[in-house]
Amino acid sequence: MNVVLVGAECAPWSKTGGLGDVMGALPKALARRGHRTMAVVPRYSNYEEGWETGVRVRMRVMGSDTEVGYFHGYIDGVDYVFVDHACFQGRQGDIYGGDRQSILFRCALLCKAALEAPWHVPCGGAPYGDENLVFIANDWHTALLPVYLQAHYRDYNKMTFARSVLVIHNMAHQGRGPLAEVAGLEIPEHYTHLFQLYDPIGGEHMNIFKAGLIAAHRLVAVSHGYAWECQTAEGGWGLDGVLREHAWKLRGIVNGMDYAEWSPQSDPHLRSDGYSNYGPDDIAAGKARCKAALQRELGLPEDPNVPLLGFIGRLDYQKGVDLIRDNFDWLMHEGAQLVLLGSGRDDLENSLREMEASRHQQCRGWVGFNVRLAHRITAGCDMLLMPSRFEPCGLNQLYAMAYGTVPIVHAVGGLRDTVHPYNPYENTGTGWTFDWADAGSFRDAMGNAIYTYREFRDSFRAVQLRGMRQDLSWDHAAELYEQVRL
Ligand code: ADP
């Protein structure tokens, strides 16, 4: 196949969350399986890996004629194509920011530029063309792509061999707006109904995700659990009916993880400041060194036996940070240490600061986005907390397990798919799970994990090792993507 993945973010160049990681890793895994693979992403900054191709394409975007350029880098078998346009420049730290019109403009432009890329960008040889061509779009920001593919190409007998897949990473964001805005998107009138949605949340409105879900040839949700949940009233955010209607073309594929970025054996962030690389064979010494180094780096008392719990993630209602806050006094009373890293909602950022201020000897709340610290917390903690209210896939629990850090998760979406609850009778499982997103259920799970850590260290170690020894790589997921038959 010729595969073109399109996304608003792509690690290591741009990332705000899991989508960036997926865009960074899935193309490489598909390329390893022998597919010619291109990843089309915005050029938010002057990335040194991307070279000016000299290709410029004129296009009409939201009523204005404009020109895009393409930069290209061939890395790990993948053609990374960076779309160059003034609307992306300077947005490196604010990918989704700006007013509605400028966000829509960037989304429309990226989709149009991606549809033209296989024709114009030489990619070190001949352009891809449309033979066996599959576009993989991601979330609402690129949901216009399947619509444009149909309306601007296939309806004119162009790209008749090309197909589109839309991957659902998060249903909570849908590109909603006033219905009148559809007129600005260069959509033929007979397709405007695709964008029209009435629901109690938004009333009658324009919904870009809805149009993409209908127009795409196939849909993928980032876990089996999420494929089911987004068809329910709780998980569909108003689009559950649309998804139920199109369930025939929807399947769940759990994200993999990129061991090149996240492996305790080779992680470059563990090579200094007292941290060290480790694997399953030297987990005891390796994790002890990383735990001590983390405690030292953050100025917490160095104690090998205190249960050290971590949280990394966007500070958002979705991530259940408030459930950690609700259990804070209990955790402190238990004598645990708690390290939180995140950025997002102001009130939750303040919660982190308040928790740290109130228990400076036991808690650190690091507000910001810091990849190195994320790696170090993942390595140094004994347990990682993910009390997400919903979690389409979640990557931090995968990283945690690979690092021998035991995840404690709300059994929902991808967390339920990937973390198997510890069963002391059969000595199975890779973490602790709880079924209700409330403070009490979460507390019980943390209590059990801490109890096992303190009283049954061998059992705890076995949970860690089972997590570490799993194959969580993208290779399997890439094979499943390949099977999304069109
Ligand atoms: P989501 O995509 O919903 O944000 P995921 O668990 O799928 O959640 O992916 C989150 C990714 O973003 C992980 O790679 C995680 O380490 C990273 N991340 C989130 N917040 C931070 C932060 N404050 N600093 C560094 N990395 C972060």
Side-chain angles (χ1 to χ4, degrees), residues 168 171 221 223-241 243-244 250 388-393 410-417:
I168 305 170
M171 289 297 303
S223 67
H224 308 285
Y226 200 56
W228 177 81
E229 281 166 23
C230 60
Q231 296 177 55
T232 66
E234 293 77 21
W237 298 79
L239 287 177
D240 41 300
L243 283 166
R244 282 195 300 276
L250 166 67
S388 309
R389 290 201 165 73
F390 69 96
E391 193 60 80
C393 180
H410 177 210
V412 70
L415 296 174
R416 187 208 297 268
D417 283 9

PDB file of all heavy atoms in Angstrom, residues 168 171 221 223-241 243-244 250 388-393 410-417:
ATOM      1  N   ILE A 168     -10.279   7.661  15.375  1.00  0.00           N
ATOM      2  CA  ILE A 168     -10.893   8.401  16.490  1.00  0.00           C
ATOM      3  C   ILE A 168      -9.992   8.276  17.711  1.00  0.00           C
ATOM      4  O   ILE A 168      -9.889   7.220  18.322  1.00  0.00           O
ATOM      5  CB  ILE A 168     -12.284   7.811  16.823  1.00  0.00           C
ATOM      6  CG1 ILE A 168     -13.172   7.795  15.580  1.00  0.00           C
ATOM      7  CG2 ILE A 168     -12.940   8.599  17.953  1.00  0.00           C
ATOM      8  CD1 ILE A 168     -14.469   6.992  15.779  1.00  0.00           C
ATOM      9  N   MET A 171     -13.342  11.595  21.147  1.00  0.00           N
ATOM     10  CA  MET A 171     -14.639  12.079  20.677  1.00  0.00           C
ATOM     11  C   MET A 171     -15.035  13.407  21.310  1.00  0.00           C
ATOM     12  O   MET A 171     -16.012  14.027  20.895  1.00  0.00           O
ATOM     13  CB  MET A 171     -15.743  11.068  21.034  1.00  0.00           C
ATOM     14  CG  MET A 171     -15.722   9.787  20.262  1.00  0.00           C
ATOM     15  SD  MET A 171     -15.977  10.005  18.513  1.00  0.00           S
ATOM     16  CE  MET A 171     -17.545  10.833  18.481  1.00  0.00           C
ATOM     17  N   ALA A 221     -11.150   3.210  16.032  1.00  0.00           N
ATOM     18  CA  ALA A 221     -11.036   3.833  17.359  1.00  0.00           C
ATOM     19  C   ALA A 221      -9.797   3.234  18.009  1.00  0.00           C
ATOM     20  O   ALA A 221      -9.443   2.079  17.719  1.00  0.00           O
ATOM     21  CB  ALA A 221     -12.271   3.534  18.199  1.00  0.00           C
ATOM     22  N   SER A 223      -8.946   1.887  20.673  1.00  0.00           N
ATOM     23  CA  SER A 223      -8.968   0.659  21.478  1.00  0.00           C
ATOM     24  C   SER A 223     -10.315  -0.020  21.241  1.00  0.00           C
ATOM     25  O   SER A 223     -11.261   0.607  20.745  1.00  0.00           O
ATOM     26  CB  SER A 223      -8.781   0.941  22.974  1.00  0.00           C
ATOM     27  OG  SER A 223      -9.896   1.653  23.487  1.00  0.00           O
ATOM     28  N   HIS A 224     -10.397  -1.284  21.594  1.00  0.00           N
ATOM     29  CA  HIS A 224     -11.676  -2.002  21.432  1.00  0.00           C
ATOM     30  C   HIS A 224     -12.715  -1.389  22.353  1.00  0.00           C
ATOM     31  O   HIS A 224     -13.867  -1.191  21.980  1.00  0.00           O
ATOM     32  CB  HIS A 224     -11.514  -3.474  21.781  1.00  0.00           C
ATOM     33  CG  HIS A 224     -10.376  -4.104  21.052  1.00  0.00           C
ATOM     34  ND1 HIS A 224     -10.447  -4.427  19.732  1.00  0.00           N
ATOM     35  CD2 HIS A 224      -9.128  -4.420  21.469  1.00  0.00           C
ATOM     36  CE1 HIS A 224      -9.280  -4.924  19.352  1.00  0.00           C
ATOM     37  NE2 HIS A 224      -8.474  -4.934  20.390  1.00  0.00           N
ATOM     38  N   GLY A 225     -12.278  -1.142  23.587  1.00  0.00           N
ATOM     39  CA  GLY A 225     -13.185  -0.577  24.573  1.00  0.00           C
ATOM     40  C   GLY A 225     -13.763   0.743  24.071  1.00  0.00           C
ATOM     41  O   GLY A 225     -14.963   0.996  24.182  1.00  0.00           O
ATOM     42  N   TYR A 226     -12.900   1.570  23.493  1.00  0.00           N
ATOM     43  CA  TYR A 226     -13.359   2.883  23.048  1.00  0.00           C
ATOM     44  C   TYR A 226     -14.273   2.768  21.827  1.00  0.00           C
ATOM     45  O   TYR A 226     -15.214   3.553  21.676  1.00  0.00           O
ATOM     46  CB  TYR A 226     -12.162   3.792  22.756  1.00  0.00           C
ATOM     47  CG  TYR A 226     -12.543   5.255  22.758  1.00  0.00           C
ATOM     48  CD1 TYR A 226     -13.156   5.820  23.869  1.00  0.00           C
ATOM     49  CD2 TYR A 226     -12.308   6.073  21.654  1.00  0.00           C
ATOM     50  CE1 TYR A 226     -13.527   7.157  23.881  1.00  0.00           C
ATOM     51  CE2 TYR A 226     -12.666   7.414  21.654  1.00  0.00           C
ATOM     52  CZ  TYR A 226     -13.280   7.942  22.780  1.00  0.00           C
ATOM     53  OH  TYR A 226     -13.646   9.273  22.789  1.00  0.00           O
ATOM     54  N   ALA A 227     -14.010   1.793  20.979  1.00  0.00           N
ATOM     55  CA  ALA A 227     -14.876   1.589  19.804  1.00  0.00           C
ATOM     56  C   ALA A 227     -16.305   1.344  20.275  1.00  0.00           C
ATOM     57  O   ALA A 227     -17.271   1.776  19.646  1.00  0.00           O
ATOM     58  CB  ALA A 227     -14.370   0.420  18.964  1.00  0.00           C
ATOM     59  N   TRP A 228     -16.426   0.646  21.388  1.00  0.00           N
ATOM     60  CA  TRP A 228     -17.753   0.382  21.936  1.00  0.00           C
ATOM     61  C   TRP A 228     -18.288   1.617  22.675  1.00  0.00           C
ATOM     62  O   TRP A 228     -19.417   2.033  22.470  1.00  0.00           O
ATOM     63  CB  TRP A 228     -17.670  -0.826  22.883  1.00  0.00           C
ATOM     64  CG  TRP A 228     -18.971  -1.127  23.541  1.00  0.00           C
ATOM     65  CD1 TRP A 228     -20.019  -1.817  23.001  1.00  0.00           C
ATOM     66  CD2 TRP A 228     -19.383  -0.723  24.853  1.00  0.00           C
ATOM     67  NE1 TRP A 228     -21.059  -1.870  23.888  1.00  0.00           N
ATOM     68  CE2 TRP A 228     -20.700  -1.207  25.036  1.00  0.00           C
ATOM     69  CE3 TRP A 228     -18.778  -0.006  25.878  1.00  0.00           C
ATOM     70  CZ2 TRP A 228     -21.414  -0.987  26.210  1.00  0.00           C
ATOM     71  CZ3 TRP A 228     -19.490   0.221  27.056  1.00  0.00           C
ATOM     72  CH2 TRP A 228     -20.791  -0.279  27.206  1.00  0.00           C
ATOM     73  N   GLU A 229     -17.419   2.209  23.514  1.00  0.00           N
ATOM     74  CA  GLU A 229     -17.876   3.332  24.344  1.00  0.00           C
ATOM     75  C   GLU A 229     -18.347   4.512  23.505  1.00  0.00           C
ATOM     76  O   GLU A 229     -19.293   5.204  23.883  1.00  0.00           O
ATOM     77  CB  GLU A 229     -16.744   3.813  25.259  1.00  0.00           C
ATOM     78  CG  GLU A 229     -16.563   2.937  26.484  1.00  0.00           C
ATOM     79  CD  GLU A 229     -15.252   3.214  27.197  1.00  0.00           C
ATOM     80  OE1 GLU A 229     -14.692   4.310  27.052  1.00  0.00           O
ATOM     81  OE2 GLU A 229     -14.767   2.310  27.900  1.00  0.00           O
ATOM     82  N   CYS A 230     -17.698   4.764  22.373  1.00  0.00           N
ATOM     83  CA  CYS A 230     -18.108   5.958  21.630  1.00  0.00           C
ATOM     84  C   CYS A 230     -19.443   5.754  20.915  1.00  0.00           C
ATOM     85  O   CYS A 230     -20.012   6.693  20.372  1.00  0.00           O
ATOM     86  CB  CYS A 230     -16.999   6.486  20.716  1.00  0.00           C
ATOM     87  SG  CYS A 230     -16.433   5.386  19.481  1.00  0.00           S
ATOM     88  N   GLN A 231     -19.970   4.551  20.996  1.00  0.00           N
ATOM     89  CA  GLN A 231     -21.327   4.335  20.473  1.00  0.00           C
ATOM     90  C   GLN A 231     -22.382   4.454  21.572  1.00  0.00           C
ATOM     91  O   GLN A 231     -23.557   4.196  21.344  1.00  0.00           O
ATOM     92  CB  GLN A 231     -21.422   2.945  19.841  1.00  0.00           C
ATOM     93  CG  GLN A 231     -20.519   2.778  18.635  1.00  0.00           C
ATOM     94  CD  GLN A 231     -20.593   1.376  18.081  1.00  0.00           C
ATOM     95  OE1 GLN A 231     -21.658   0.882  17.757  1.00  0.00           O
ATOM     96  NE2 GLN A 231     -19.452   0.728  17.968  1.00  0.00           N
ATOM     97  N   THR A 232     -21.951   4.816  22.765  1.00  0.00           N
ATOM     98  CA  THR A 232     -22.900   4.985  23.860  1.00  0.00           C
ATOM     99  C   THR A 232     -23.118   6.478  24.126  1.00  0.00           C
ATOM    100  O   THR A 232     -22.276   7.305  23.761  1.00  0.00           O
ATOM    101  CB  THR A 232     -22.375   4.359  25.173  1.00  0.00           C
ATOM    102  OG1 THR A 232     -21.216   5.104  25.598  1.00  0.00           O
ATOM    103  CG2 THR A 232     -21.983   2.903  24.978  1.00  0.00           C
ATOM    104  N   ALA A 233     -24.237   6.784  24.774  1.00  0.00           N
ATOM    105  CA  ALA A 233     -24.565   8.193  25.040  1.00  0.00           C
ATOM    106  C   ALA A 233     -23.468   8.849  25.884  1.00  0.00           C
ATOM    107  O   ALA A 233     -23.134  10.019  25.698  1.00  0.00           O
ATOM    108  CB  ALA A 233     -25.905   8.286  25.741  1.00  0.00           C
ATOM    109  N   GLU A 234     -22.860   8.087  26.799  1.00  0.00           N
ATOM    110  CA  GLU A 234     -21.832   8.675  27.672  1.00  0.00           C
ATOM    111  C   GLU A 234     -20.543   8.958  26.905  1.00  0.00           C
ATOM    112  O   GLU A 234     -19.846   9.913  27.183  1.00  0.00           O
ATOM    113  CB  GLU A 234     -21.476   7.727  28.837  1.00  0.00           C
ATOM    114  CG  GLU A 234     -22.584   7.494  29.850  1.00  0.00           C
ATOM    115  CD  GLU A 234     -23.642   6.522  29.337  1.00  0.00           C
ATOM    116  OE1 GLU A 234     -23.331   5.736  28.408  1.00  0.00           O
ATOM    117  OE2 GLU A 234     -24.775   6.561  29.845  1.00  0.00           O
ATOM    118  N   GLY A 235     -20.223   8.089  25.952  1.00  0.00           N
ATOM    119  CA  GLY A 235     -18.919   8.204  25.294  1.00  0.00           C
ATOM    120  C   GLY A 235     -18.950   8.873  23.939  1.00  0.00           C
ATOM    121  O   GLY A 235     -17.901   9.187  23.385  1.00  0.00           O
ATOM    122  N   GLY A 236     -20.153   9.083  23.391  1.00  0.00           N
ATOM    123  CA  GLY A 236     -20.225   9.576  22.009  1.00  0.00           C
ATOM    124  C   GLY A 236     -20.276  11.079  21.893  1.00  0.00           C
ATOM    125  O   GLY A 236     -20.129  11.607  20.797  1.00  0.00           O
ATOM    126  N   TRP A 237     -20.478  11.773  22.977  1.00  0.00           N
ATOM    127  CA  TRP A 237     -20.530  13.237  22.970  1.00  0.00           C
ATOM    128  C   TRP A 237     -21.435  13.745  21.848  1.00  0.00           C
ATOM    129  O   TRP A 237     -21.078  14.664  21.111  1.00  0.00           O
ATOM    130  CB  TRP A 237     -19.127  13.847  22.844  1.00  0.00           C
ATOM    131  CG  TRP A 237     -18.229  13.508  23.986  1.00  0.00           C
ATOM    132  CD1 TRP A 237     -17.556  12.330  24.158  1.00  0.00           C
ATOM    133  CD2 TRP A 237     -17.911  14.317  25.132  1.00  0.00           C
ATOM    134  NE1 TRP A 237     -16.828  12.359  25.341  1.00  0.00           N
ATOM    135  CE2 TRP A 237     -17.033  13.569  25.946  1.00  0.00           C
ATOM    136  CE3 TRP A 237     -18.269  15.609  25.535  1.00  0.00           C
ATOM    137  CZ2 TRP A 237     -16.514  14.063  27.146  1.00  0.00           C
ATOM    138  CZ3 TRP A 237     -17.740  16.099  26.735  1.00  0.00           C
ATOM    139  CH2 TRP A 237     -16.883  15.325  27.520  1.00  0.00           C
ATOM    140  N   GLY A 238     -22.590  13.110  21.708  1.00  0.00           N
ATOM    141  CA  GLY A 238     -23.562  13.572  20.705  1.00  0.00           C
ATOM    142  C   GLY A 238     -23.438  12.858  19.364  1.00  0.00           C
ATOM    143  O   GLY A 238     -24.315  12.947  18.518  1.00  0.00           O
ATOM    144  N   LEU A 239     -22.340  12.142  19.149  1.00  0.00           N
ATOM    145  CA  LEU A 239     -22.148  11.462  17.861  1.00  0.00           C
ATOM    146  C   LEU A 239     -22.341   9.951  17.967  1.00  0.00           C
ATOM    147  O   LEU A 239     -22.045   9.214  17.020  1.00  0.00           O
ATOM    148  CB  LEU A 239     -20.745  11.769  17.312  1.00  0.00           C
ATOM    149  CG  LEU A 239     -20.568  13.191  16.776  1.00  0.00           C
ATOM    150  CD1 LEU A 239     -19.138  13.433  16.316  1.00  0.00           C
ATOM    151  CD2 LEU A 239     -21.530  13.432  15.604  1.00  0.00           C
ATOM    152  N   ASP A 240     -22.847   9.486  19.111  1.00  0.00           N
ATOM    153  CA  ASP A 240     -23.003   8.038  19.296  1.00  0.00           C
ATOM    154  C   ASP A 240     -23.980   7.446  18.276  1.00  0.00           C
ATOM    155  O   ASP A 240     -23.753   6.359  17.743  1.00  0.00           O
ATOM    156  CB  ASP A 240     -23.440   7.708  20.722  1.00  0.00           C
ATOM    157  CG  ASP A 240     -24.474   8.667  21.264  1.00  0.00           C
ATOM    158  OD1 ASP A 240     -24.177   9.869  21.344  1.00  0.00           O
ATOM    159  OD2 ASP A 240     -25.584   8.212  21.586  1.00  0.00           O
ATOM    160  N   GLY A 241     -25.049   8.202  17.970  1.00  0.00           N
ATOM    161  CA  GLY A 241     -26.023   7.701  16.993  1.00  0.00           C
ATOM    162  C   GLY A 241     -25.369   7.532  15.626  1.00  0.00           C
ATOM    163  O   GLY A 241     -25.551   6.518  14.956  1.00  0.00           O
ATOM    164  N   LEU A 243     -22.277   7.017  15.043  1.00  0.00           N
ATOM    165  CA  LEU A 243     -21.340   5.891  15.084  1.00  0.00           C
ATOM    166  C   LEU A 243     -22.068   4.556  15.095  1.00  0.00           C
ATOM    167  O   LEU A 243     -21.586   3.583  14.500  1.00  0.00           O
ATOM    168  CB  LEU A 243     -20.402   6.027  16.287  1.00  0.00           C
ATOM    169  CG  LEU A 243     -19.320   7.069  16.022  1.00  0.00           C
ATOM    170  CD1 LEU A 243     -18.603   7.455  17.293  1.00  0.00           C
ATOM    171  CD2 LEU A 243     -18.323   6.545  14.996  1.00  0.00           C
ATOM    172  N   ARG A 244     -23.195   4.516  15.762  1.00  0.00           N
ATOM    173  CA  ARG A 244     -23.955   3.246  15.742  1.00  0.00           C
ATOM    174  C   ARG A 244     -24.391   2.930  14.314  1.00  0.00           C
ATOM    175  O   ARG A 244     -24.308   1.801  13.859  1.00  0.00           O
ATOM    176  CB  ARG A 244     -25.169   3.326  16.677  1.00  0.00           C
ATOM    177  CG  ARG A 244     -24.813   3.153  18.154  1.00  0.00           C
ATOM    178  CD  ARG A 244     -26.029   2.866  19.002  1.00  0.00           C
ATOM    179  NE  ARG A 244     -27.024   3.918  18.956  1.00  0.00           N
ATOM    180  CZ  ARG A 244     -27.006   5.022  19.708  1.00  0.00           C
ATOM    181  NH1 ARG A 244     -26.023   5.220  20.571  1.00  0.00           N
ATOM    182  NH2 ARG A 244     -27.962   5.937  19.608  1.00  0.00           N
ATOM    183  N   LEU A 250     -16.533   0.464  11.585  1.00  0.00           N
ATOM    184  CA  LEU A 250     -15.706   0.888  12.724  1.00  0.00           C
ATOM    185  C   LEU A 250     -15.070  -0.311  13.408  1.00  0.00           C
ATOM    186  O   LEU A 250     -15.735  -1.316  13.655  1.00  0.00           O
ATOM    187  CB  LEU A 250     -16.596   1.632  13.729  1.00  0.00           C
ATOM    188  CG  LEU A 250     -16.034   1.891  15.132  1.00  0.00           C
ATOM    189  CD1 LEU A 250     -14.865   2.876  15.067  1.00  0.00           C
ATOM    190  CD2 LEU A 250     -17.118   2.446  16.059  1.00  0.00           C
ATOM    191  N   SER A 388      -8.450   8.300  34.796  1.00  0.00           N
ATOM    192  CA  SER A 388      -9.186   8.995  33.725  1.00  0.00           C
ATOM    193  C   SER A 388     -10.661   8.633  33.736  1.00  0.00           C
ATOM    194  O   SER A 388     -11.017   7.463  33.879  1.00  0.00           O
ATOM    195  CB  SER A 388      -8.619   8.592  32.360  1.00  0.00           C
ATOM    196  OG  SER A 388      -7.230   8.743  32.320  1.00  0.00           O
ATOM    197  N   ARG A 389     -11.519   9.636  33.559  1.00  0.00           N
ATOM    198  CA  ARG A 389     -12.962   9.345  33.453  1.00  0.00           C
ATOM    199  C   ARG A 389     -13.233   8.574  32.170  1.00  0.00           C
ATOM    200  O   ARG A 389     -14.020   7.656  32.133  1.00  0.00           O
ATOM    201  CB  ARG A 389     -13.753  10.647  33.483  1.00  0.00           C
ATOM    202  CG  ARG A 389     -13.714  11.281  34.846  1.00  0.00           C
ATOM    203  CD  ARG A 389     -14.862  12.261  35.035  1.00  0.00           C
ATOM    204  NE  ARG A 389     -14.975  12.547  36.445  1.00  0.00           N
ATOM    205  CZ  ARG A 389     -14.107  13.307  37.128  1.00  0.00           C
ATOM    206  NH1 ARG A 389     -13.084  13.865  36.491  1.00  0.00           N
ATOM    207  NH2 ARG A 389     -14.250  13.500  38.412  1.00  0.00           N
ATOM    208  N   PHE A 390     -12.605   9.023  31.080  1.00  0.00           N
ATOM    209  CA  PHE A 390     -12.605   8.200  29.873  1.00  0.00           C
ATOM    210  C   PHE A 390     -11.206   8.267  29.289  1.00  0.00           C
ATOM    211  O   PHE A 390     -10.474   9.229  29.529  1.00  0.00           O
ATOM    212  CB  PHE A 390     -13.681   8.660  28.873  1.00  0.00           C
ATOM    213  CG  PHE A 390     -13.418   9.989  28.230  1.00  0.00           C
ATOM    214  CD1 PHE A 390     -12.813  10.078  26.991  1.00  0.00           C
ATOM    215  CD2 PHE A 390     -13.783  11.168  28.868  1.00  0.00           C
ATOM    216  CE1 PHE A 390     -12.569  11.314  26.396  1.00  0.00           C
ATOM    217  CE2 PHE A 390     -13.547  12.404  28.285  1.00  0.00           C
ATOM    218  CZ  PHE A 390     -12.947  12.469  27.047  1.00  0.00           C
ATOM    219  N   GLU A 391     -10.816   7.245  28.598  1.00  0.00           N
ATOM    220  CA  GLU A 391      -9.459   7.200  28.050  1.00  0.00           C
ATOM    221  C   GLU A 391      -9.501   6.373  26.776  1.00  0.00           C
ATOM    222  O   GLU A 391      -9.542   5.144  26.822  1.00  0.00           O
ATOM    223  CB  GLU A 391      -8.504   6.568  29.068  1.00  0.00           C
ATOM    224  CG  GLU A 391      -7.037   6.741  28.751  1.00  0.00           C
ATOM    225  CD  GLU A 391      -6.606   8.205  28.674  1.00  0.00           C
ATOM    226  OE1 GLU A 391      -6.378   8.835  29.715  1.00  0.00           O
ATOM    227  OE2 GLU A 391      -6.518   8.708  27.531  1.00  0.00           O
ATOM    228  N   PRO A 392      -9.551   7.055  25.626  1.00  0.00           N
ATOM    229  CA  PRO A 392      -9.670   6.319  24.362  1.00  0.00           C
ATOM    230  C   PRO A 392      -8.637   5.190  24.242  1.00  0.00           C
ATOM    231  O   PRO A 392      -8.980   4.061  23.926  1.00  0.00           O
ATOM    232  CB  PRO A 392      -9.448   7.403  23.314  1.00  0.00           C
ATOM    233  CG  PRO A 392      -9.950   8.655  23.983  1.00  0.00           C
ATOM    234  CD  PRO A 392      -9.579   8.506  25.426  1.00  0.00           C
ATOM    235  N   CYS A 393      -7.380   5.506  24.482  1.00  0.00           N
ATOM    236  CA  CYS A 393      -6.367   4.445  24.538  1.00  0.00           C
ATOM    237  C   CYS A 393      -5.496   4.673  25.765  1.00  0.00           C
ATOM    238  O   CYS A 393      -5.448   3.868  26.675  1.00  0.00           O
ATOM    239  CB  CYS A 393      -5.505   4.405  23.275  1.00  0.00           C
ATOM    240  SG  CYS A 393      -4.277   3.095  23.389  1.00  0.00           S
ATOM    241  N   HIS A 410      -8.458   3.553  36.059  1.00  0.00           N
ATOM    242  CA  HIS A 410      -9.894   3.355  35.950  1.00  0.00           C
ATOM    243  C   HIS A 410     -10.121   2.443  34.741  1.00  0.00           C
ATOM    244  O   HIS A 410      -9.643   2.724  33.632  1.00  0.00           O
ATOM    245  CB  HIS A 410     -10.579   4.713  35.743  1.00  0.00           C
ATOM    246  CG  HIS A 410     -12.054   4.614  35.560  1.00  0.00           C
ATOM    247  ND1 HIS A 410     -12.778   5.505  34.807  1.00  0.00           N
ATOM    248  CD2 HIS A 410     -12.946   3.711  36.046  1.00  0.00           C
ATOM    249  CE1 HIS A 410     -14.057   5.167  34.835  1.00  0.00           C
ATOM    250  NE2 HIS A 410     -14.180   4.081  35.571  1.00  0.00           N
ATOM    251  N   ALA A 411     -10.839   1.333  34.945  1.00  0.00           N
ATOM    252  CA  ALA A 411     -10.989   0.332  33.879  1.00  0.00           C
ATOM    253  C   ALA A 411     -11.970   0.835  32.822  1.00  0.00           C
ATOM    254  O   ALA A 411     -13.155   0.512  32.833  1.00  0.00           O
ATOM    255  CB  ALA A 411     -11.475  -0.988  34.469  1.00  0.00           C
ATOM    256  N   VAL A 412     -11.439   1.657  31.907  1.00  0.00           N
ATOM    257  CA  VAL A 412     -12.295   2.263  30.898  1.00  0.00           C
ATOM    258  C   VAL A 412     -11.489   2.369  29.605  1.00  0.00           C
ATOM    259  O   VAL A 412     -10.261   2.499  29.642  1.00  0.00           O
ATOM    260  CB  VAL A 412     -12.775   3.643  31.424  1.00  0.00           C
ATOM    261  CG1 VAL A 412     -11.649   4.643  31.476  1.00  0.00           C
ATOM    262  CG2 VAL A 412     -13.942   4.187  30.646  1.00  0.00           C
ATOM    263  N   GLY A 413     -12.177   2.262  28.460  1.00  0.00           N
ATOM    264  CA  GLY A 413     -11.526   2.438  27.159  1.00  0.00           C
ATOM    265  C   GLY A 413     -10.268   1.610  27.026  1.00  0.00           C
ATOM    266  O   GLY A 413     -10.229   0.413  27.328  1.00  0.00           O
ATOM    267  N   GLY A 414      -9.206   2.270  26.575  1.00  0.00           N
ATOM    268  CA  GLY A 414      -7.950   1.574  26.341  1.00  0.00           C
ATOM    269  C   GLY A 414      -7.275   1.119  27.621  1.00  0.00           C
ATOM    270  O   GLY A 414      -6.446   0.197  27.597  1.00  0.00           O
ATOM    271  N   LEU A 415      -7.626   1.746  28.746  1.00  0.00           N
ATOM    272  CA  LEU A 415      -7.014   1.320  30.012  1.00  0.00           C
ATOM    273  C   LEU A 415      -7.494  -0.077  30.366  1.00  0.00           C
ATOM    274  O   LEU A 415      -6.738  -0.927  30.836  1.00  0.00           O
ATOM    275  CB  LEU A 415      -7.362   2.304  31.135  1.00  0.00           C
ATOM    276  CG  LEU A 415      -6.827   3.730  30.954  1.00  0.00           C
ATOM    277  CD1 LEU A 415      -7.355   4.653  32.043  1.00  0.00           C
ATOM    278  CD2 LEU A 415      -5.303   3.730  30.974  1.00  0.00           C
ATOM    279  N   ARG A 416      -8.773  -0.326  30.101  1.00  0.00           N
ATOM    280  CA  ARG A 416      -9.321  -1.651  30.379  1.00  0.00           C
ATOM    281  C   ARG A 416      -8.708  -2.694  29.428  1.00  0.00           C
ATOM    282  O   ARG A 416      -8.445  -3.829  29.807  1.00  0.00           O
ATOM    283  CB  ARG A 416     -10.846  -1.637  30.194  1.00  0.00           C
ATOM    284  CG  ARG A 416     -11.515  -2.936  30.616  1.00  0.00           C
ATOM    285  CD  ARG A 416     -12.792  -3.156  29.825  1.00  0.00           C
ATOM    286  NE  ARG A 416     -13.783  -2.133  30.080  1.00  0.00           N
ATOM    287  CZ  ARG A 416     -14.728  -2.225  31.011  1.00  0.00           C
ATOM    288  NH1 ARG A 416     -14.805  -3.269  31.762  1.00  0.00           N
ATOM    289  NH2 ARG A 416     -15.590  -1.262  31.154  1.00  0.00           N
ATOM    290  N   ASP A 417      -8.465  -2.271  28.187  1.00  0.00           N
ATOM    291  CA  ASP A 417      -7.890  -3.204  27.207  1.00  0.00           C
ATOM    292  C   ASP A 417      -6.457  -3.592  27.543  1.00  0.00           C
ATOM    293  O   ASP A 417      -6.003  -4.667  27.164  1.00  0.00           O
ATOM    294  CB  ASP A 417      -7.867  -2.566  25.809  1.00  0.00           C
ATOM    295  CG  ASP A 417      -9.236  -2.565  25.147  1.00  0.00           C
ATOM    296  OD1 ASP A 417     -10.214  -2.898  25.825  1.00  0.00           O
ATOM    297  OD2 ASP A 417      -9.320  -2.226  23.956  1.00  0.00           O
TER     298      ASP A 417
END
